[in-house]
Amino acid sequence: MIIVLLGPPGAGKGTQTGPLARKYQIVGISTGDIFRFNLNAGTPLGLEAKNFMNQGLLVPDDLTCRLVEDRLSQPDAQNGCLLDGFPRTVYQAEELEKYLAKKGQKVDYCLLLDIPEKELMARLTGRRVCRSCAAVWHLTFSPPPANLVCDRCGGEIYQRDDDGEVAASNRLKVYQAQTQPVVDWYKAKGTLKTVTALGPPAEVEKAIIKAMS
Ligand code: AMP
C-alpha cells in the first residue's frame, strides 16, 4: 500500500506518520526529516538543501526526486510506504507516478489534512522537535519536558530554524503556490480523501483510518 499524506506545514503530517505507518505495517518516509538529518549531519546533501530549507523554500525538484527514488528502492520500502511531505509540486507528483508505474505500483490513497489557515502560524511557531528521533511537542498544546531532553530517546529538543515567524510564513505561501496544485492534481485523479485535522492527534488518526476504510 502506498499512501501520500498532504497538508500545509503545521497540519500534523509528522505526528500522524508514525502511528499510521505502524498500523499499516509500512515504512514512513518524511522528506523533511531526511533533509534535516542530512543538514544536522553536515552531509553534501544537507549543505545543498540548507539555504532553501532555512528560508522556507522548497529544495529543487531534481534533488528531491533523486532522494525519494533512492529511498523507495531500499528493501524496507518494498512492502509499501507512507510519504510525508512528498510530493510537494506537480512535477514531483508526476515523477512519483512514473517511478511507481515502472514497478507496477501506484499511489493508493492521497490523504489531505485540512485545517484553517489561521491555526497554522501558532502551530508552527510553538512547535518543538527532537533532533534525534523527530518526536514533536507544542509549547501550549503538549509542552515538552522542562529540561528539553526527549523522553523517548534522550535527544535534544529544539525549535526548527524554519519554524521561526519569517520562514514559517514563507512556507505557508509556498504551500499555496506550489503544493495546492498537487492537491488538485490528486483530486482530479479521484485518489484524494480529505480529513479535518483539528482536534487531538488520536481523533485525527481515527478520522484518517475511517476515510481509508
Ligand atoms: P517538512 O519537515 O516536511 O516541513 O519539510 C521541511 C523543509 O524541507 C521544507 O520547507 C523544504 O525546504 C524541504 N522539503 C521537504 N520535503 C520537500 C519536498 N517534497 N520538496 C522540496 N522540498 C522539500
Side-chain angles (χ1 to χ4, degrees):
M1 178 154 59
I2 297 173
I3 307 174
V4 162
L5 201 51
L6 280 182
K13 300 185 296 296
T15 304
Q16 295 299 330
T17 293
L20 288 173
R22 277 191 291 281
K23 174 166 173 67
Y24 294 108
Q25 298 184 336
I26 52 180
V27 66
I29 297 175
S30 155
T31 40
D33 283 349
I34 299 175
F35 282 132
R36 261 185 303 284
F37 174 80
N38 280 277
L39 200 152
N40 288 333
T43 67
L45 172 69
L47 292 176
E48 225 175 310
K50 183 175 177 176
N51 279 341
F52 298 102
M53 291 179 75
N54 286 349
Q55 291 178 66
L57 301 174
L58 294 185
V59 177
D61 278 339
D62 55 341
L63 182 61
T64 307
C65 289
R66 263 189 284 132
L67 170 103
V68 171
E69 290 193 9
D70 178 61
R71 184 66 189 84
L72 289 177
S73 70
Q74 307 287 318
D76 65 346
Q78 301 318 304
N79 229 3
C81 64
L82 191 161
L83 292 169
D84 158 12
F86 182 92
R88 262 172 149 108
T89 63
V90 170
Y91 178 85
Q92 291 178 10
E94 287 169 347
E95 287 299 296
L96 176 65
E97 188 178 52
K98 282 190 236 160
Y99 175 82
L100 293 176
K102 275 191 247 156
K103 303 206 295 178
Q105 297 175 325
K106 64 176 175 44
V107 170
D108 298 293
Y109 295 97
C110 175
L111 298 163
L112 170 65
L113 297 188
D114 190 30
I115 183 156
E117 204 180 329
K118 64 179 167 50
E119 299 284 327
L120 295 171
M121 270 309 272
R123 282 191 174 208
L124 289 171
T125 52
R127 177 161 67 181
R128 296 294 182 271
V129 295
C130 172
R131 214 181 267 284
S132 305
C133 73
V136 181
W137 291 265
H138 189 278
L139 291 182
T140 314
F141 311 126
S142 64
N147 59 3
L148 297 182
V149 174
C150 175
D151 47 14
R152 288 165 228 189
C153 78
E156 179 204 357
I157 297 173
Y158 79 120
Q159 180 180 34
R160 285 169 42 172
D161 287 339
D162 61 353
D163 277 345
E165 296 262 347
V166 175
S169 144
N170 271 344
R171 286 160 66 209
L172 294 176
K173 288 187 198 130
V174 164
Y175 177 81
Q176 280 310 326
Q178 291 181 268
T179 310
Q180 181 59 44
V182 179
V183 174
D184 300 334
W185 192 85
Y186 280 112
K187 200 181 282 172
K189 288 194 174 284
T191 327
L192 189 80
K193 303 225 178 259
T194 302
V195 175
T196 301
L198 279 172
E203 294 299 317
V204 177
E205 187 189 340
K206 271 193 216 152
I208 293 175
I209 293 166
K210 192 168 161 211
M212 287 173 60
S213 64

